[in-house]
Amino acid sequence: MRALVARRLEGPDTLELIETPIPEPAAGQVRIKVAAAAVNPVDLAVSAGLAVQFGLTAPREQFGLGWDVAGTVDAVGSGVDLTPGTAVIGLADLLGRSLKTHAEYVVLDAHAVAPTTMDPVAASTIPLNAITALQALRAISGQTVLVTGAAGGVGGYAVELAKHQGLTVIATAGDQDEDLVRRLGADHFVRRSADLATAVREIVPAGVDALVDAAIVGVGAQEAVRNGGQHVHLQAGPRPPHLRNITVEQLFLHANRRDLTELVELVEAGAISTRVAETYPLQDAATAYRRLAKGGVRGRLVLIP
């Protein structure tokens, strides 16, 4: 099979599409014939060596790429309750795998896979971004939430999920993204160019109950949070300080079928959306990576084997 890997860790220009044996599922695992796999910023980071640099994974000769996948179960190991032919989405949440979802086949633990009837290209845009947003919102309480980077993958889902939960959402993004962010459900929009804390406190004078910092603004965004509020930090490395008794939760997502199933159901109910920006054949993966690296992509770029 063909699989996209990073060996030199120098970014998109050094990615390699290799021929490698089709992997076999062990006990508790499934093999998926990949129909579509989204490209995410974390894939760029891994290809550039940042995961090793930040100590998130050990150096190795080869890194597989791709977290999201949609496709069809092709084979199963013992103890698995899914059958070949089942359409699924899945999430490969281990950084250090030598083969991941940007390939023709991928093996995942069965708990990281959920059945779906959605179009696979659309479905492949859900797992990583939406599960991150879902788990971030589970880490907070209160009625008002500030979402930074609200036009991006994680931020957009955080807005939609927060509105579905009945929260009041203040969202920040670029000036050109206001219409999109409001369509996603934001109650209030703050331009990224504005003084964030001042603008938010004009809406909620005491400050918001919680911050989901998808854009990694850091302390500048935390100034918009009330004393004793909550800050969910979505990046590895040093986390912001606990100023004014604000609880800072550094989130590291984990794949699980319960959350993936919930997200599928929310899409089917129209509560959250799928966002496909563009599709590329697997052999043009480097082009997709370079496009993502330029920035400004709204939705996900999706690879088709």
Side-chain angles (χ1 to χ4, degrees):
M1 73 167 189
R2 297 175 304 160
L4 190 71
V5 301
R7 290 170 171 164
R8 290 170 55 189
L9 303 185
E10 296 174 5
D13 292 337
T14 60
L15 296 176
E16 299 177 50
L17 189 61
I18 64 170
E19 288 286 345
T20 188
I22 296 175
E24 295 296 331
Q29 294 184 322
V30 301
R31 185 172 70 207
I32 300 169
K33 181 175 174 57
V34 178
V39 183
N40 287 281
V42 66
D43 297 311
L44 284 174
V46 171
S47 75
L50 297 181
V52 174
Q53 179 181 327
F54 291 156
L56 298 178
T57 187
R60 60 192 304 142
E61 180 180 339
Q62 173 178 301
F63 284 91
L65 297 164
W67 289 57
D68 295 323
V69 66
T72 305
V73 173
D74 175 70
V76 300
S78 62
V80 173
D81 59 353
L82 296 169
T83 58
T86 303
V88 294
I89 61 171
L91 177 59
D93 61 358
L94 291 175
L95 281 166
R97 291 188 174 193
S98 60
L99 298 171
K100 294 188 70 177
T101 70
H102 292 169
E104 293 179 312
Y105 294 85
V106 65
V107 168
L108 296 179
D109 293 338
H111 71 76
V113 172
T116 181
T117 59
M118 283 186 287
D119 169 75
V121 173
S124 75
T125 67
I126 297 170
L128 176 61
N129 294 305
I131 208 168
T132 300
L134 181 67
Q135 292 175 4
L137 289 168
R138 286 201 185 121
I140 67 172
S141 58
Q143 289 300 309
T144 55
V145 60
L146 169 63
V147 178
T148 66
V154 174
Y157 278 120
V159 171
E160 289 186 307
L161 288 165
K163 282 308 301 176
H164 179 70
Q165 295 174 15
L167 303 183
T168 297
V169 180
I170 303 172
T172 73
D175 294 5
Q176 72 279 9
D177 292 317
E178 180 173 0
D179 288 345
L180 167 62
V181 171
R182 289 191 181 278
R183 286 199 306 272
L184 292 172
D187 298 286
H188 305 278
F189 177 80
V190 175
R191 290 173 171 80
R192 188 169 54 210
S193 56
D195 181 297
L196 182 57
T198 299
V200 170
R201 287 179 179 270
E202 288 176 354
I203 301 167
V204 186
V208 294
D209 296 318
L211 161 68
V212 175
D213 192 12
I216 320 299
V217 177
V219 172
Q222 193 181 101
E223 292 178 358
V225 180
R226 65 170 174 79
N227 289 6
Q230 297 163 301
H231 176 172
V232 183
H233 178 65
L234 300 179
Q235 189 182 56
R239 64 182 179 181
H242 298 257
L243 302 176
R244 298 181 288 110
N245 198 36
I246 292 171
T247 300
V248 179
E249 175 78 20
Q250 188 171 29
L251 179 72
F252 293 95
L253 68 92
H254 62 282
N256 67 88
R257 188 180 299 179
R258 183 193 69 172
D259 287 353
L260 290 171
T261 299
E262 179 177 344
L263 293 169
V264 168
E265 292 172 349
L266 287 170
V267 172
E268 292 173 345
I272 62 174
S273 59
T274 58
R275 296 171 63 193
V276 179
E278 196 171 351
T279 62
Y280 294 79
L282 182 60
Q283 60 266 30
D284 290 341
T287 302
Y289 273 63
R290 285 190 288 266
R291 173 64 190 91
L292 182 60
K294 288 181 181 178
V297 176
R298 296 297 174 251
R300 288 274 76 92
L301 305 175
V302 179
L303 301 179
I304 310 296

